[in-house]
Amino acid sequence: MPASPSTARAINDRLALRLLQQEGPLTAGQLKQLTGLSRPTVADLVERLTAAGLITVVGESGEQRRGPNARLYGIVAGRAHLAALDVRTGGVFVLVSDLVGRVLAEASVPIGGDTGTGSAVEQAVAAVERTAKEAGADRLHTVGIGAPGLIDPATGDLRDSGGLPEWHRSLAAALQERLPGARVTVENETNLAALAEQSEGAARDRDTFVLLWLGHGVGAAVVLDGRLRRGASGGTGEIGFLPVPGTDSLPSARDCDGGFHSLAGAAAIGALAAEHGLPVPATMDGPGAAVVIREAVAELTREPDDSGTARPGPGRPAGSDDSAAERPAERFLHALADRIAVGAASVVAVLDPGCVVLGGEAGQAGGTALAGLVEERLRRMSPLLTEVRPSTVGGTAVLRGALLTARDRAQDDLFAPQDRN
């Protein structure tokens, strides 16, 4: 059945607003071309959206002729302010943006492991309030939080997870109390990183892919047919618990030691590097693992040594003998690729995503060198063609994903029909 006039107007309004979000300021003529609507219909929706305070004239196009079609219309960015948080075991990163996602202020607040729950929550909430004030925001419309751990799909709350600070679970409620009227949502950090890669990173051309997170711990995010999949209990991608060969035990419901985490987590990467005679930082967390991998990759690109012997690189043809690697850095990277491929192959066998993105601090540090080695191994292990790519969003992926999620939710609310005639 044909849509009613009010429904048709709402659809047209949302279409125009999404185009202005994606393309930036547009003239009425450009909106007509992109939407396929008639000139009178576009004129009506421009008038409606302007009266509703959602769009405004932001300039003029380069057209010689002056008039309505030459005016550039853009979303009223100051209509709402948003906050995004990347919550880590050692602190929190905060940014505040306008409605179109332009960053206005940001901050980083370290929180020591011996800080009590109440004090830690207060430090994090105060950081959000200070950053909002610096951005000139009187209030926040939406707050998106990225955190490690499982999100309960029924409540949207962060579930109790072993090894994570208690203040993580208390933060969302505290923000909701201190920021009246704000919509506060929490999402798993790996899922947010995948959304960032899908929107503006390595998976922009993919509707189906898996992000393999390699940091302090390991995880995965699954995007199928353009949609993030969370699973019945919110645990899709908890690949750290995946039983794999090469470990001394099996994981348990409360502890992922013995699972894939024991092969590819930061501590395991540090131990593997030490076995190959490479220097290892005193603290083997995500950034520590990144240092080890980055230095190993850099070693492969250095000039030949004094003897004139050419140093082999990591990009040998598929099927080459990895045991021929001559240097500790190269042997380490090949051994690490072996480990990562074990977990990736399990995901590929079940989901056939066609693309695996290596994210997290360690995945980003490995770059195309490590991604190429993992892809080579997957070709040997699986008949399913799978491209392996490094993250291109990098260390800000969780924060970017939280911001994109907050922006979309705020726009869904503000762009909904509000009895506009």
Side-chain angles (χ1 to χ4, degrees), residues 79-121:
R79 178 69 182 270
H81 289 92
L82 323 169
L85 283 71
D86 179 1
V87 178
R88 303 295 179 96
T89 55
V92 60
F93 298 89
V94 183
L95 64 78
V96 173
S97 81
D98 59 23
L99 182 58
V100 296
R102 184 174 62 244
V103 177
L104 304 175
E106 51 192 322
S108 172
V109 179
I111 298 176
D114 57 349
T115 306
T117 298
S119 179
V121 169

Side-chain angles (χ1 to χ4, degrees), residues 144-171:
I145 303 173
L150 291 170
I151 308 299
D152 189 325
T155 64
D157 296 330
L158 189 64
R159 289 168 52 184
D160 184 19
S161 299
L164 295 178
E166 174 64 27
W167 66 267
H168 281 199
R169 292 198 301 129
S170 305
L171 180 57

Side-chain angles (χ1 to χ4, degrees), residues 272-279 296 299-300 325-335:
L272 183 65
E275 289 175 16
H276 287 82
L278 301 181
E299 177 69 19
L300 302 184
E326 297 180 6
R327 288 174 293 159
E330 187 171 8
R331 291 197 299 272
F332 161 71
L333 287 174
H334 280 269

